[in-house]
Amino acid sequence: MSDQYPEILSIECLRVPAKQLKPEEVDQKAEDRALDPATREVLKKTMHEGTETVWDRLERQQPHCKFCSEGISCQRCAMGPCRIMGGDRTRGVCGNDANLIVARNLLDWVAMGAAAHSDHGREVVEAMLKASRGQAPQYQVADEEKLRKIAREYGVDTSLPVAGIAEALALAMLDEFGTIKGRMQMPTRAPEATVELWRSAGILPRSIDREVVEAMHRVHMGVGNEPDGLVMHGFRTSMADGWGGSMMGTEISDVMFGTPEPKRSKVNLGVLKHDQVNVSLHGHNPVLSEMIVKAAELPALQERAKAVGAAGINLVGLCCTGNELLMRKGIPQAGNHLDQELTITTGALEAMVVDYQCIFPTLPHTAACYHTKVIATSPKANISGAMYMEISPENAFEQSQRILEVAIDNYPNRDRSRVLIPERPVDAMVGFSVEAIKKALGGSLKPLLEVIASGKIRGCAGIVGCNNPHIKHDYGHVTLARELIKRDILCVETGCASIACAKAGLMLPESIEHAGKGLQEVCGSLGIPPILHMGSCVDNTRVLNLVAELAREAGVRIDQLPVAGAAPEWYSPKAVAIAEYFVGSGVSTVLGVMPRIGGSPMVARLLTDGIEDRVNAKFWVEPEPKKAAALIYDHIEVRRKALGM
Ligand code: BF8
């Protein structure tokens, strides 16, 4: 291995402008900002040291621009920028009004989110293609049964050798990004009557890239000016992601790295270790991180760690890369979105390896306050001030070794006088793929339907999405989940929502004590938690597959099921795409943060009554999680009644 590493730009540590906080003020701020005790502990240290975090930047951004918050500012062309201010200023320079501006801005967000998720999905499929052709020999098919099952779905000849099946399937999937067939395969997993509903609503996607590109076309100045068409194309674009790009990301990650099964691991900032080289894996794409896990087991690297005085290499996850490793490998998870800076400010992190999405641009500045090295790995995500060690499927194993060498060599630079690692990581049971849920139920979803029909479980809720510093960190997720399980509603969770509940100790079979009697009885007999970890954000497609299978089994459409979705702390355009494909698919969804549509009651109506008329599902916005729980419960009861349950 070479000892030459890429140069890092010198970059300054970002500090909060000198304002001495009293200890009680620090305590109060930590309590206002975060729910998890481990997060609070490190947050206090961070404040004592004056290191800037996302919460400080939010404070300095207040008050937010009202026009932007309501979605009525437009930057789409050089005749503007424009704002809709009322009075005689109800139109921008081109003549657009509030409804058009809001509808276009919303479609832009959906397209951005769908593009990010689906591009991730494409990279996973490309990795399988390269592996099948022998160009990425470190990658192999881990779940042959799943490969064959999906191959049959795509009409691939399953009598071929495994590599041949993988190659043909990868090509068939890659074709769907730009197919001219005008239809995609995976939406047909839904019951026929549901697909028919999507077709008549005009939201059945034609191809992944096509819908995203058409969205970009439609938001250009001077294309359509009718909000309804823009909003409905948003739903179609999101469906191309949910039933296309993201679903490929999930399915092929399972094929390549293994379909998750329940396992125990640990979560919160306490998973860092005093006596080991700590490396966090942050971002979304498992193609790189899987190789780092493999490389960390190499005896040469373990020896190198010992040579610098460490007992070993401790890999920890963050955000969705973390979720991918947590559910498949049981790698402990340091935290979710708003924990990323704090993982560095513990002072105990040698390297933070990032791929893409949800990575604060300031991480190298945070790292500059300590000894941590931030290492960017994707050519799509160059980060100024970070080291850049590009990873591709062809070189991932070798490059992973080099990355770990950088981390190991950085261990002696840790300043032990500045280290704070919270003492108690929390146990969590994770890894409930649809396959694992069926296995726990004895091979099919029928027993789940039976306990729903009998009323022991009233229904299911998918709690998904991010953290957002506008909301006390994890409070929205944890409060909503607690309220729902109390009402005998089984929760499935992904992304940062799942880590919030795991940190709160709710993802353990023992946590059934917080559930209602019926849910307690069902989960207790199966030995599973009342809140099931289903994976990363692309794995919201597992939720789609779950409701599709439930609906098929019950002989109804998805929208008729007693189910609902929630994104209590969402921040990301990806979450907007997810929320739209939940609703488009028939799963009514409550958002805890108001989307930027306040300036157009017409668009708000389209996202509620308008879409409900077409697909029998709608959005609500409810920031108070206890009220959100009541909404979900009422909705589930209405669906139960309609089904005669
Ligand atoms: O994709 S839940 S903050 S980490 S966007 Fe990001 Fe939101 Fe977390 Fe994963 Ni998803």
Side-chain angles (χ1 to χ4, degrees), residues 117 283-284 319-320 337 357-358 465-467 495-497 537 571-572 574-575:
H117 264 158
H284 287 78
C319 288
C320 286
H337 186 51
Q357 298 169 18
C358 302
C466 323
N467 298 133
C496 291
C537 245
Y571 93 89
S572 149
K574 287 184 293 172

Side-chain angles (χ1 to χ4, degrees), residues 511-532:
S511 60
I512 54 167
E513 65 184 33
H514 302 291
K517 286 231 165 349
L519 188 57
Q520 255 187 40
E521 191 188 318
V522 174
C523 295
S525 68
L526 296 169
I528 60 170
I531 301 170
L532 302 179

